[in-house]
Amino acid sequence: MLLKTETSLKLKAMPKFDLCIIGGGPAGMMAAIASSERKKKVVLIEKNDDLGSKLLLTGGGRCNITHAGLTKKEFVSKFGKQGDFLLSSLSLFGVEELIEFFKKRGLLLTIEGEKVYPKTESSKEVLNFFKTELRKNKVTVLTNSEVKDFLFKDKKIEKVLLSSGEEVFADNFLIATGGKSYPSTGSTGDGYAFVKKMGHKIAELKPALTPIETKEKWVVALKGLTLHNVGIKLNNEKPILGEVLFTHFGISGPTILNLSERVESKDKIHIDLFPKKNIEELEEEIIALFESNFKKTINNILSEIVPFKLLSIILNFSDIQKEEICRNITKEQRKKLLKNLKGIELNVIGLLGFDKAMVTKGGISLKEIDAKNMKSKLVNNLYFAGEVIDLNGESGGYNLQMSFTTGYTVAQNI
Ligand SMILES: Cc1cc2nc3c(=O)[nH]c(=O)nc-3n(C[C@H](O)[C@H](O)[C@H](O)COP(=O)(O)OP(=O)(O)OC[C@H]3O[C@@H](n4cnc5c(N)ncnc54)[C@H](O)[C@@H]3O)c2cc1C
């Protein structure tokens, strides 16, 4: 990190750069490293006092870098209809190339399922990796430096103006200012305002990958509990298999975040704890369990198959006392219990907004960006990378890969 005074000193003697990058997130840092490795003179401008604030939060602090095991076509399908835009840049710098990029420079990785993390499972290590590479490649990093405006000469951007009043000159400019989600990390949507002024269209901005707030207050008691491999049914849709993380306001976790795009207030979500069994099969099993443990309490028996905290809630909904002896459970109580085990109901109040959305849906219109090099079709020396573009993927490492891929692509084309 440069101190403010160092920044000012550096600026006085600052040359004209080949590439000026606005935004020190994953997209900007990748572009800076890849470009400086090609012997370009690069300046990376970040308004926070340090780089990569959002990167530190990724994957719950573990940083889900990318998603392995898919073909390029499958990978881009995780970005919906817009995904094909990424095919060209992914051919240049896809999942394998990203993994190789990290390995070659000494960052060890591990794969969990198909999700790729740093071996230390620490996003801080990933950020330190980037900082080391930036230093090694002599990128000029200006922190505490907010870009306020872009100034033009002869229909090209000549320089950017910082809030300090200082100016940075370059031949090419890259906007990598992120989206509007988690504004506390510095992603406050500045890039949209800059490019709108230049004539670019912005596809409507909405929070995406958003936790869901529920009416049920009992979720508070389950805060932090994750249910794996449960069935999740939105209204009358076909259930999907996945995980549910309970929070103090409702539910979250990768499956819920992916589902959130289709969720509206007043929707109902049912969670099936035993999705692989139908209700008759489950009933048979429960009866057998009760018969072979007829003297034990229901709490004792069911805690072997249902997480403890959730069990008291389910028993409560089924009008069964925790200390009830198995042989005393009535048929009516058993039916209620089965109904709850196969479908705990949650009523949606709504989605949490930009403050807690993992990514932004919408952004700089893809129609005005050249997919081969991420160059603006309106301004000759302007490029885009990362979340500021109208691309948002599912949860699972897709969004970071997109940021790295687009950042790298810009670097190869300057
Ligand atoms: C809680 C959370 C967890 C996530 N987990 C994952 C995960 O595990 N895997 C995954 O793939 N994705 C994850 N994401 C999404 C991922 O973090 C983003 O897709 C990614 O950070 C986008 O990178 P970016 O470089 O485009 O933008 P950002 O990371 O938003 O970086 C943009 C930077 O630009 C700076 N900036 C903005 N305006 C200006 C300006 N005017 N002047 C100077 N600097 C400016 C900002 O301060 C910021 O540092 C997560 C997101 C959140 C919020």
Side-chain angles (χ1 to χ4, degrees):
M1 187 187 94
L2 292 172
L3 297 173
K4 185 79 185 159
T5 47
E6 287 179 79
T7 305
S8 306
L9 279 177
K10 254 199 145 40
L11 271 166
K12 272 192 191 134
M14 210 154 41
K16 186 178 182 191
F17 293 94
D18 296 316
L19 176 62
C20 169
I21 303 170
I22 300 97
M29 290 191 288
M30 174 57 86
I33 292 162
S35 183
S36 57
E37 283 184 352
R38 284 163 45 82
K39 309 284 174 244
K40 303 289 174 191
K41 254 187 286 161
V42 181
V43 58
L44 178 62
I45 307 180
E46 167 56 52
K47 69 176 167 187
N48 289 334
D49 61 5
D50 203 355
L51 301 169
S53 295
K54 190 175 278 178
L55 180 68
L56 284 179
L57 301 180
T58 55
R62 295 170 65 213
C63 190
N64 179 192
I65 287 171
T66 185
H67 200 105
L70 300 181
T71 63
K72 289 199 172 43
K73 260 289 188 205
E74 286 167 336
F75 191 95
V76 301
S77 73
K78 307 295 178 185
F79 290 79
K81 280 189 278 179
Q82 315 269 72
D84 281 0
F85 178 87
L86 271 179
L87 278 172
S88 163
S89 53
L90 273 175
S91 313
L92 176 72
F93 193 67
V95 174
E96 281 165 27
E97 288 81 8
L98 178 65
I99 291 175
E100 197 47 40
F101 175 91
F102 285 125
K103 277 193 188 158
K104 211 169 134 192
R105 291 161 185 79
L107 182 78
L108 301 178
L109 303 175
T110 179
I111 301 190
E112 200 181 286
E114 290 178 333
K115 295 182 183 177
V116 183
Y117 295 89
K119 196 151 197 177
T120 54
E121 300 194 14
S122 155
S123 53
K124 205 163 176 199
E125 204 212 350
V126 179
L127 181 57
N128 285 338
F129 164 88
F130 277 110
K131 287 185 183 174
T132 306
E133 293 299 315
L134 288 166
R135 252 193 315 271
K136 225 162 60 188
N137 288 291
K138 301 198 170 44
V139 172
T140 302
V141 178
L142 307 178
T143 50
N144 276 318
S145 303
E146 184 176 4
V147 168
K148 280 290 186 197
D149 208 356
F150 287 69
L151 303 170
F152 280 70
K153 192 177 174 188
D154 301 331
K155 294 192 180 158
K156 282 170 84 176
I157 303 168
E158 184 193 26
K159 58 191 175 187
V160 288
L161 180 66
L162 306 186
S163 52
S164 59
E166 289 150 313
E167 297 171 333
V168 182
F169 291 75
D171 287 331
N172 299 287
F173 294 82
L174 164 60
I175 295 188
T177 44
K180 262 184 79 162
S181 61
Y182 262 84
S184 52
T185 61
S187 319
T188 47
D190 300 12
Y192 307 127
F194 295 141
V195 301
K196 234 176 158 173
K197 246 173 92 177
M198 300 178 200
H200 271 280
K201 287 198 187 64
I202 308 294
E204 189 187 354
L205 304 170
K206 285 187 188 162
L209 298 185
T210 321
I212 295 173
E213 189 179 1
T214 64
K215 237 186 208 169
E216 288 70 21
K217 295 295 167 232
W218 50 260
V219 292
V220 180
L222 304 183
K223 188 179 154 198
L225 172 71
T226 301
L227 303 174
H228 297 277
N229 296 318
V230 289
I232 301 160
K233 188 165 111 163
L234 173 63
N235 301 321
N236 292 321
E237 290 182 11
K238 202 166 160 253
I240 47 174
L241 209 61
E243 60 187 66
V244 175
L245 163 69
F246 288 95
T247 66
H248 61 283
F249 51 77
I251 48 174
S252 189
T255 320
I256 297 299
L257 294 174
N258 289 337
L259 189 71
S260 69
E261 200 160 320
R262 292 188 286 115
V263 172
E264 289 175 4
S265 69
K266 300 206 179 127
D267 278 347
K268 283 186 196 303
I269 292 173
H270 287 94
I271 300 168
D272 180 354
L273 297 181
F274 298 94
K276 298 210 172 119
K277 297 183 177 104
N278 64 32
I279 203 145
E280 290 77 24
E281 288 167 338
L282 186 62
E283 181 162 33
E284 246 175 60
E285 235 174 75
I286 297 265
I287 291 175
L289 205 60
F290 284 179
E291 280 175 1
S292 52
N293 295 283
F294 65 96
K295 282 186 182 162
K296 294 193 180 156
T297 66
I298 188 156
N299 197 43
N300 196 329
I301 291 310
L302 288 186
S303 60
E304 283 171 27
I305 53 171
V306 178
F308 186 70
K309 282 187 192 166
L310 179 59
L311 181 57
S312 23
I313 289 164
I314 287 187
L315 289 177
N316 191 17
F317 288 165
S318 312
D319 297 323
I320 302 175
Q321 297 293 319
K322 267 159 96 174
E323 302 310 322
E324 197 64 82
I325 305 295
C326 286
R327 72 170 161 223
N328 292 341
I329 304 294
T330 65
K331 188 175 170 193
E332 193 190 338
Q333 283 175 318
R334 193 178 69 228
K335 294 283 180 200
K336 271 193 194 163
L337 174 67
L338 283 162
K339 186 169 168 272
N340 287 313
L341 291 174
K342 289 289 291 172
I344 320 158
E345 183 174 291
L346 290 162
N347 289 277
V348 175
I349 293 180
L351 302 174
L352 297 196
F354 278 115
D355 274 3
K356 293 285 174 238
M358 305 286 146
V359 290
T360 307
K361 188 179 165 69
I364 304 173
S365 168
L366 300 183
K367 289 194 188 118
E368 296 167 354
I369 306 172
D370 186 338
K372 288 196 297 298
N373 50 22
M374 299 298 138
K375 191 172 180 170
S376 161
K377 289 184 183 171
L378 308 188
V379 180
N380 199 15
N381 59 343
L382 178 63
Y383 295 78
F384 308 113
E387 201 175 313
V388 74
I389 297 176
D390 180 16
L391 282 173
N392 61 290
E394 291 184 5
S395 166
Y398 303 103
N399 290 293
L400 279 177
Q401 174 76 50
M402 183 273 281
S403 300
F404 293 135
T405 294
T406 50
Y408 188 91
T409 300
V410 172
Q412 298 312 303
N413 285 284
I414 281 171

Coordinates of all heavy atoms in Angstrom, one line a residue, residues 55-125:
L55 N -12.7 -8.9 -2.7 CA -12.0 -10.2 -2.8 C -11.8 -10.9 -1.4 O -12.0 -12.1 -1.3 CB -10.6 -10.1 -3.5 CG -9.8 -11.3 -3.7 CD1 -10.5 -12.2 -4.8 CD2 -8.4 -11.0 -4.2
L56 N -11.5 -10.1 -0.4 CA -11.3 -10.7 0.9 C -12.6 -11.4 1.5 O -12.5 -12.3 2.3 CB -10.9 -9.6 1.9 CG -9.5 -9.1 1.8 CD1 -9.2 -8.0 2.8 CD2 -8.5 -10.2 2.0
L57 N -13.8 -10.9 1.0 CA -15.0 -11.5 1.5 C -15.4 -12.7 0.8 O -16.3 -13.4 1.2 CB -16.2 -10.5 1.3 CG -16.0 -9.1 2.0 CD1 -17.3 -8.3 1.7 CD2 -15.9 -9.3 3.5
T58 N -14.8 -13.0 -0.4 CA -15.3 -14.1 -1.2 C -15.2 -15.4 -0.6 O -14.3 -15.7 0.2 CB -14.6 -14.1 -2.6 OG1 -13.2 -14.2 -2.3 CG2 -14.8 -12.9 -3.4
G59 N -16.2 -16.2 -0.9 CA -16.3 -17.6 -0.5 C -16.3 -17.7 1.1 O -15.7 -18.6 1.6
G60 N -16.9 -16.7 1.7 CA -16.9 -16.7 3.2 C -15.5 -16.6 3.7 O -15.1 -17.2 4.8
G61 N -14.6 -15.9 3.0 CA -13.2 -15.7 3.4 C -12.3 -16.8 2.9 O -11.1 -16.8 3.1
R62 N -12.9 -17.8 2.1 CA -12.0 -18.9 1.6 C -11.7 -18.6 0.1 O -10.8 -19.3 -0.4 CB -12.8 -20.2 1.7 CG -13.0 -20.6 3.2 CD -14.0 -21.8 3.2 NE -13.4 -23.0 2.6 CZ -14.1 -23.9 1.9 NH1 -15.4 -23.8 1.8 NH2 -13.5 -24.9 1.4
C63 N -12.5 -17.8 -0.5 CA -12.2 -17.4 -1.9 C -12.3 -18.5 -2.9 O -11.4 -19.2 -3.3 CB -10.8 -16.8 -2.1 SG -10.5 -16.0 -3.6
N64 N -13.5 -18.7 -3.4 CA -13.8 -19.7 -4.4 C -13.4 -19.1 -5.8 O -14.2 -18.4 -6.5 CB -15.3 -20.0 -4.4 CG -15.8 -21.0 -5.4 OD1 -16.9 -21.2 -5.7 ND2 -14.8 -21.7 -6.0
I65 N -12.2 -19.4 -6.2 CA -11.5 -18.7 -7.3 C -12.2 -19.0 -8.6 O -12.3 -18.1 -9.5 CB -10.0 -19.2 -7.3 CG1 -9.3 -18.5 -6.2 CG2 -9.4 -18.9 -8.7 CD1 -7.9 -19.0 -6.0
T66 N -12.5 -20.3 -8.8 CA -13.2 -20.6 -10.1 C -13.9 -22.0 -10.0 O -14.0 -22.5 -8.9 CB -12.1 -20.7 -11.3 OG1 -12.8 -20.9 -12.5 CG2 -11.1 -21.8 -11.1
H67 N -14.4 -22.4 -11.1 CA -15.2 -23.7 -11.1 C -14.7 -24.6 -12.2 O -14.7 -24.3 -13.4 CB -16.7 -23.3 -11.4 CG -17.6 -24.4 -10.9 ND1 -18.4 -24.3 -9.8 CD2 -17.9 -25.6 -11.5 CE1 -19.1 -25.4 -9.7 NE2 -18.8 -26.2 -10.7
A68 N -14.1 -25.7 -11.8 CA -13.5 -26.6 -12.7 C -14.4 -27.7 -13.2 O -15.6 -27.8 -12.8 CB -12.3 -27.3 -12.1
G69 N -14.0 -28.4 -14.2 CA -14.8 -29.6 -14.6 C -15.9 -29.4 -15.7 O -16.6 -30.3 -16.0
L70 N -16.0 -28.2 -16.2 CA -17.1 -27.9 -17.1 C -16.5 -27.6 -18.5 O -15.3 -27.1 -18.6 CB -17.9 -26.7 -16.7 CG -18.6 -26.8 -15.4 CD1 -19.4 -25.5 -15.1 CD2 -19.5 -28.0 -15.3
T71 N -17.2 -27.9 -19.6 CA -16.8 -27.4 -20.9 C -17.0 -25.9 -20.9 O -17.8 -25.4 -20.1 CB -17.6 -28.1 -22.0 OG1 -19.0 -27.6 -21.8 CG2 -17.5 -29.6 -21.9
K72 N -16.4 -25.3 -21.9 CA -16.6 -23.8 -22.0 C -18.1 -23.5 -22.2 O -18.6 -22.5 -21.6 CB -15.8 -23.2 -23.2 CG -14.3 -23.3 -22.8 CD -13.5 -22.4 -23.7 CE -12.1 -22.2 -23.2 NZ -11.4 -23.5 -22.8
K73 N -18.8 -24.3 -23.0 CA -20.2 -24.1 -23.2 C -21.0 -24.2 -21.9 O -21.9 -23.4 -21.6 CB -20.7 -25.1 -24.2 CG -20.8 -24.6 -25.6 CD -22.0 -23.6 -25.8 CE -22.3 -23.1 -27.1 NZ -23.0 -21.8 -27.2
E74 N -20.7 -25.2 -21.1 CA -21.4 -25.4 -19.8 C -21.0 -24.2 -18.9 O -21.9 -23.7 -18.2 CB -20.9 -26.7 -19.2 CG -21.5 -27.9 -19.8 CD -20.8 -29.2 -19.4 OE1 -19.7 -29.2 -18.9 OE2 -21.5 -30.3 -19.5
F75 N -19.8 -23.8 -18.9 CA -19.4 -22.7 -18.1 C -20.1 -21.4 -18.4 O -20.7 -20.8 -17.5 CB -17.8 -22.5 -18.2 CG -17.3 -21.5 -17.2 CD1 -16.7 -22.0 -16.0 CD2 -17.4 -20.2 -17.3 CE1 -16.2 -21.2 -15.0 CE2 -16.9 -19.3 -16.3 CZ -16.3 -19.8 -15.2
V76 N -20.2 -21.1 -19.7 CA -20.9 -19.8 -20.0 C -22.4 -19.9 -19.8 O -23.1 -18.9 -19.6 CB -20.6 -19.3 -21.4 CG1 -19.1 -19.1 -21.6 CG2 -21.1 -20.2 -22.5
S77 N -22.9 -21.1 -19.8 CA -24.4 -21.3 -19.5 C -24.7 -20.8 -18.1 O -25.9 -20.4 -17.8 CB -24.8 -22.7 -19.7 OG -24.4 -23.5 -18.7
K78 N -23.8 -20.7 -17.2 CA -24.0 -20.3 -15.8 C -24.2 -18.7 -15.8 O -24.5 -18.2 -14.7 CB -22.8 -20.6 -14.9 CG -22.5 -22.1 -14.9 CD -23.6 -22.9 -14.4 CE -23.3 -24.4 -14.5 NZ -24.4 -25.3 -14.1
F79 N -24.0 -18.1 -16.9 CA -24.3 -16.6 -17.0 C -25.6 -16.3 -17.8 O -25.8 -15.2 -18.2 CB -23.1 -15.9 -17.7 CG -21.8 -15.9 -16.9 CD1 -21.0 -17.1 -16.8 CD2 -21.5 -14.8 -16.2 CE1 -19.9 -17.1 -16.0 CE2 -20.3 -14.8 -15.4 CZ -19.5 -15.9 -15.3
G80 N -26.4 -17.4 -18.0 CA -27.7 -17.2 -18.6 C -27.5 -16.8 -20.1 O -26.5 -17.2 -20.7
K81 N -28.5 -16.1 -20.6 CA -28.5 -15.8 -22.1 C -27.3 -15.0 -22.5 O -26.9 -15.1 -23.7 CB -29.8 -15.0 -22.4 CG -31.0 -15.8 -22.5 CD -32.2 -15.0 -23.0 CE -32.8 -14.2 -21.9 NZ -33.8 -13.3 -22.0
Q82 N -26.7 -14.2 -21.6 CA -25.6 -13.4 -22.0 C -24.3 -14.1 -22.1 O -23.3 -13.6 -22.6 CB -25.4 -12.3 -20.9 CG -26.6 -11.6 -20.4 CD -26.9 -10.4 -21.2 OE1 -27.3 -10.5 -22.3 NE2 -26.6 -9.3 -20.6
G83 N -24.3 -15.4 -21.6 CA -23.0 -16.1 -21.4 C -22.1 -16.2 -22.6 O -20.9 -16.2 -22.5
D84 N -22.7 -16.4 -23.8 CA -21.9 -16.7 -25.0 C -20.9 -15.5 -25.3 O -19.8 -15.8 -25.9 CB -22.8 -16.8 -26.2 CG -23.4 -18.2 -26.3 OD1 -23.1 -19.0 -25.4 OD2 -24.2 -18.5 -27.2
F85 N -21.2 -14.4 -24.8 CA -20.3 -13.2 -24.9 C -18.8 -13.6 -24.4 O -17.8 -13.1 -24.9 CB -20.8 -12.0 -24.1 CG -19.9 -10.8 -24.2 CD1 -20.0 -9.9 -25.2 CD2 -19.0 -10.6 -23.2 CE1 -19.2 -8.8 -25.2 CE2 -18.2 -9.5 -23.2 CZ -18.3 -8.5 -24.2
L86 N -18.8 -14.5 -23.4 CA -17.5 -14.8 -22.8 C -16.7 -15.9 -23.5 O -15.5 -16.1 -23.2 CB -17.8 -15.4 -21.4 CG -17.9 -14.4 -20.2 CD1 -18.2 -15.1 -18.9 CD2 -16.6 -13.6 -20.0
L87 N -17.3 -16.5 -24.5 CA -16.6 -17.7 -25.1 C -15.3 -17.3 -25.7 O -14.3 -18.0 -25.5 CB -17.5 -18.3 -26.2 CG -18.6 -19.2 -25.8 CD1 -19.6 -19.6 -26.9 CD2 -18.0 -20.5 -25.1
S88 N -15.2 -16.2 -26.4 CA -14.0 -15.8 -27.0 C -12.9 -15.5 -26.0 O -11.7 -16.0 -26.1 CB -14.3 -14.5 -27.8 OG -13.1 -13.9 -28.2
S89 N -13.2 -14.8 -24.9 CA -12.1 -14.5 -23.9 C -11.8 -15.7 -23.1 O -10.6 -15.9 -22.7 CB -12.5 -13.3 -23.0 OG -13.8 -13.5 -22.5
L90 N -12.8 -16.6 -22.9 CA -12.4 -17.8 -22.2 C -11.5 -18.8 -23.0 O -10.8 -19.5 -22.4 CB -13.7 -18.6 -21.9 CG -14.5 -18.2 -20.6 CD1 -15.8 -19.0 -20.5 CD2 -13.7 -18.5 -19.3
S91 N -11.6 -18.7 -24.3 CA -10.7 -19.5 -25.1 C -9.2 -19.0 -24.9 O -8.3 -19.7 -25.0 CB -11.0 -19.4 -26.6 OG -12.3 -19.6 -26.8
L92 N -9.1 -17.7 -24.7 CA -7.8 -17.1 -24.4 C -7.3 -17.4 -23.0 O -6.2 -17.9 -22.8 CB -7.8 -15.6 -24.6 CG -6.6 -14.8 -24.3 CD1 -5.6 -15.1 -25.4 CD2 -6.9 -13.3 -24.2
F93 N -8.2 -17.3 -22.0 CA -7.8 -17.4 -20.6 C -9.0 -18.0 -19.9 O -9.8 -17.3 -19.3 CB -7.4 -16.0 -20.1 CG -6.7 -16.1 -18.7 CD1 -5.5 -16.6 -18.6 CD2 -7.3 -15.6 -17.6 CE1 -4.8 -16.6 -17.4 CE2 -6.7 -15.6 -16.4 CZ -5.4 -16.1 -16.3
G94 N -9.1 -19.3 -19.9 CA -10.2 -20.0 -19.3 C -9.8 -20.6 -17.9 O -8.9 -20.1 -17.3
V95 N -10.6 -21.5 -17.5 CA -10.4 -22.1 -16.1 C -9.0 -22.7 -16.0 O -8.3 -22.5 -15.0 CB -11.5 -23.1 -15.8 CG1 -11.2 -23.8 -14.5 CG2 -12.9 -22.4 -15.8
E96 N -8.6 -23.5 -17.0 CA -7.3 -24.2 -16.9 C -6.2 -23.2 -16.9 O -5.2 -23.3 -16.2 CB -7.1 -25.1 -18.1 CG -7.9 -26.4 -17.9 CD -8.0 -27.2 -19.2 OE1 -7.2 -27.1 -20.1 OE2 -9.0 -28.0 -19.3
E97 N -6.3 -22.2 -17.8 CA -5.3 -21.2 -17.8 C -5.1 -20.4 -16.5 O -4.1 -20.0 -16.1 CB -5.5 -20.2 -19.0 CG -5.3 -20.8 -20.4 CD -6.5 -21.6 -20.9 OE1 -7.5 -21.6 -20.2 OE2 -6.3 -22.3 -21.9
L98 N -6.3 -20.1 -15.9 CA -6.3 -19.4 -14.6 C -5.6 -20.2 -13.5 O -4.7 -19.7 -12.8 CB -7.7 -19.0 -14.2 CG -7.8 -18.3 -12.8 CD1 -7.2 -16.9 -12.9 CD2 -9.3 -18.2 -12.4
I99 N -5.9 -21.5 -13.5 CA -5.3 -22.4 -12.5 C -3.8 -22.5 -12.8 O -3.0 -22.4 -11.8 CB -6.0 -23.8 -12.6 CG1 -7.4 -23.8 -12.1 CG2 -5.1 -24.9 -11.9 CD1 -8.2 -25.0 -12.2
E100 N -3.4 -22.6 -14.0 CA -2.0 -22.6 -14.4 C -1.3 -21.3 -14.0 O -0.2 -21.3 -13.5 CB -1.9 -22.8 -15.9 CG -0.6 -23.3 -16.4 CD 0.1 -24.4 -15.6 OE1 -0.7 -25.3 -15.2 OE2 1.3 -24.4 -15.4
F101 N -2.0 -20.2 -14.2 CA -1.5 -18.8 -13.9 C -1.1 -18.8 -12.4 O 0.0 -18.3 -12.0 CB -2.6 -17.8 -14.2 CG -2.2 -16.4 -13.8 CD1 -1.6 -15.5 -14.6 CD2 -2.5 -15.9 -12.5 CE1 -1.2 -14.2 -14.3 CE2 -2.2 -14.6 -12.1 CZ -1.6 -13.7 -13.0
F102 N -2.0 -19.3 -11.5 CA -1.7 -19.2 -10.1 C -0.6 -20.2 -9.7 O 0.3 -19.9 -9.0 CB -3.0 -19.6 -9.3 CG -4.0 -18.5 -9.2 CD1 -5.3 -18.7 -9.6 CD2 -3.6 -17.2 -8.8 CE1 -6.2 -17.6 -9.6 CE2 -4.6 -16.2 -8.7 CZ -5.8 -16.4 -9.1
K103 N -0.7 -21.4 -10.3 CA 0.3 -22.5 -9.9 C 1.7 -22.0 -10.3 O 2.7 -22.2 -9.5 CB 0.0 -23.8 -10.7 CG -1.1 -24.6 -10.0 CD -1.1 -26.0 -10.6 CE -2.3 -26.8 -10.1 NZ -2.6 -27.9 -11.0
K104 N 1.8 -21.5 -11.5 CA 3.1 -21.1 -12.1 C 3.8 -20.0 -11.2 O 5.0 -20.0 -11.1 CB 2.9 -20.6 -13.5 CG 4.1 -20.8 -14.4 CD 3.7 -20.5 -15.8 CE 4.7 -19.6 -16.5 NZ 4.3 -19.1 -17.8
R105 N 3.0 -19.2 -10.6 CA 3.5 -18.1 -9.8 C 3.5 -18.5 -8.3 O 3.7 -17.6 -7.4 CB 2.7 -16.8 -10.1 CG 3.0 -16.3 -11.5 CD 2.0 -15.3 -11.9 NE 2.2 -14.9 -13.3 CZ 1.8 -15.6 -14.4 NH1 1.3 -16.8 -14.2 NH2 2.1 -15.2 -15.6
G106 N 3.2 -19.7 -8.0 CA 3.4 -20.2 -6.6 C 2.2 -20.2 -5.7 O 2.3 -20.5 -4.5
L107 N 1.0 -20.0 -6.2 CA -0.2 -20.1 -5.3 C -0.8 -21.5 -5.5 O -1.3 -21.8 -6.5 CB -1.2 -19.0 -5.7 CG -2.5 -19.0 -4.8 CD1 -2.2 -18.3 -3.5 CD2 -3.7 -18.3 -5.4
L108 N -0.7 -22.2 -4.4 CA -1.2 -23.6 -4.4 C -2.8 -23.6 -4.3 O -3.3 -22.8 -3.5 CB -0.6 -24.4 -3.3 CG 0.9 -24.5 -3.3 CD1 1.4 -25.3 -2.1 CD2 1.4 -25.1 -4.6
L109 N -3.4 -24.5 -5.0 CA -4.9 -24.5 -5.1 C -5.4 -25.9 -4.6 O -4.7 -26.9 -4.6 CB -5.4 -24.2 -6.5 CG -4.9 -22.9 -7.1 CD1 -5.4 -22.8 -8.5 CD2 -5.4 -21.7 -6.3
T110 N -6.6 -25.9 -4.2 CA -7.3 -27.2 -3.9 C -8.7 -27.2 -4.5 O -9.3 -26.1 -4.7 CB -7.3 -27.4 -2.4 OG1 -8.0 -28.6 -2.1 CG2 -8.1 -26.3 -1.7
I111 N -9.2 -28.4 -4.9 CA -10.5 -28.5 -5.5 C -11.4 -29.2 -4.6 O -11.1 -30.3 -4.1 CB -10.4 -29.2 -6.9 CG1 -9.5 -28.4 -7.8 CG2 -11.8 -29.2 -7.5 CD1 -9.5 -28.8 -9.2
E112 N -12.6 -28.6 -4.3 CA -13.6 -29.2 -3.4 C -14.8 -29.4 -4.3 O -15.5 -28.4 -4.7 CB -13.9 -28.2 -2.3 CG -14.5 -28.8 -1.1 CD -14.8 -27.7 -0.1 OE1 -13.8 -27.2 0.6 OE2 -15.9 -27.3 0.1
G113 N -15.1 -30.6 -4.6 CA -16.2 -30.9 -5.6 C -15.6 -30.4 -6.9 O -14.6 -30.9 -7.4
E114 N -16.2 -29.3 -7.4 CA -15.7 -28.7 -8.6 C -15.2 -27.3 -8.4 O -14.7 -26.6 -9.2 CB -16.7 -28.7 -9.8 CG -17.0 -30.1 -10.3 CD -18.1 -30.1 -11.4 OE1 -18.9 -29.2 -11.4 OE2 -18.0 -31.0 -12.2
K115 N -15.4 -26.9 -7.1 CA -15.0 -25.5 -6.7 C -13.5 -25.4 -6.4 O -13.0 -26.2 -5.6 CB -15.8 -25.0 -5.6 CG -17.3 -24.9 -5.8 CD -18.0 -24.4 -4.6 CE -19.5 -24.3 -4.8 NZ -20.2 -23.9 -3.6
V116 N -12.8 -24.4 -6.9 CA -11.4 -24.2 -6.7 C -11.1 -23.1 -5.7 O -11.7 -22.0 -5.8 CB -10.7 -23.9 -8.1 CG1 -9.2 -23.8 -7.9 CG2 -11.0 -24.9 -9.1
Y117 N -10.3 -23.5 -4.7 CA -10.0 -22.5 -3.6 C -8.4 -22.5 -3.5 O -7.7 -23.4 -3.9 CB -10.5 -23.0 -2.3 CG -12.0 -23.1 -2.2 CD1 -12.7 -24.2 -2.5 CD2 -12.7 -22.0 -1.7 CE1 -14.1 -24.3 -2.4 CE2 -14.1 -22.0 -1.6 CZ -14.8 -23.2 -1.9 OH -16.1 -23.2 -1.8
P118 N -7.9 -21.4 -2.9 CA -6.5 -21.5 -2.5 C -6.3 -22.6 -1.5 O -7.2 -22.9 -0.7 CB -6.2 -20.2 -1.9 CG -7.5 -19.6 -1.5 CD -8.5 -20.2 -2.4
K119 N -5.1 -23.3 -1.5 CA -4.9 -24.4 -0.6 C -5.1 -24.0 0.9 O -5.6 -24.8 1.7 CB -3.5 -25.0 -0.8 CG -3.4 -26.4 -0.2 CD -2.4 -27.2 -1.0 CE -2.7 -28.7 -0.6 NZ -1.9 -29.6 -1.2
T120 N -4.7 -22.8 1.2 CA -4.8 -22.3 2.6 C -6.2 -21.9 2.9 O -6.5 -21.6 4.0 CB -3.9 -21.1 2.8 OG1 -4.3 -20.1 1.8 CG2 -2.4 -21.4 2.7
E121 N -7.1 -22.0 1.9 CA -8.5 -21.6 2.1 C -8.6 -20.2 2.7 O -9.5 -19.9 3.5 CB -9.3 -22.6 2.9 CG -9.2 -23.9 2.2 CD -10.2 -24.9 2.8 OE1 -11.1 -24.5 3.5 OE2 -10.1 -26.1 2.5
S122 N -7.7 -19.3 2.2 CA -7.7 -17.9 2.8 C -7.7 -16.9 1.6 O -6.7 -16.9 0.8 CB -6.5 -17.8 3.7 OG -6.1 -16.4 3.8
S123 N -8.7 -16.1 1.6 CA -8.8 -15.0 0.5 C -7.6 -14.0 0.8 O -7.2 -13.4 -0.2 CB -10.1 -14.3 0.6 OG -10.4 -13.9 1.8
K124 N -7.2 -13.9 2.0 CA -6.1 -13.0 2.3 C -4.8 -13.4 1.6 O -4.1 -12.6 1.0 CB -5.8 -13.0 3.8 CG -5.2 -11.8 4.3 CD -5.3 -11.6 5.8 CE -4.6 -10.4 6.1 NZ -4.2 -10.3 7.5
E125 N -4.7 -14.7 1.5 CA -3.5 -15.2 0.8 C -3.6 -14.9 -0.7 O -2.5 -14.6 -1.3 CB -3.4 -16.8 0.9 CG -1.9 -17.2 0.8 CD -1.8 -18.6 0.2 OE1 -2.8 -19.3 0.1 OE2 -0.7 -19.0 -0.2

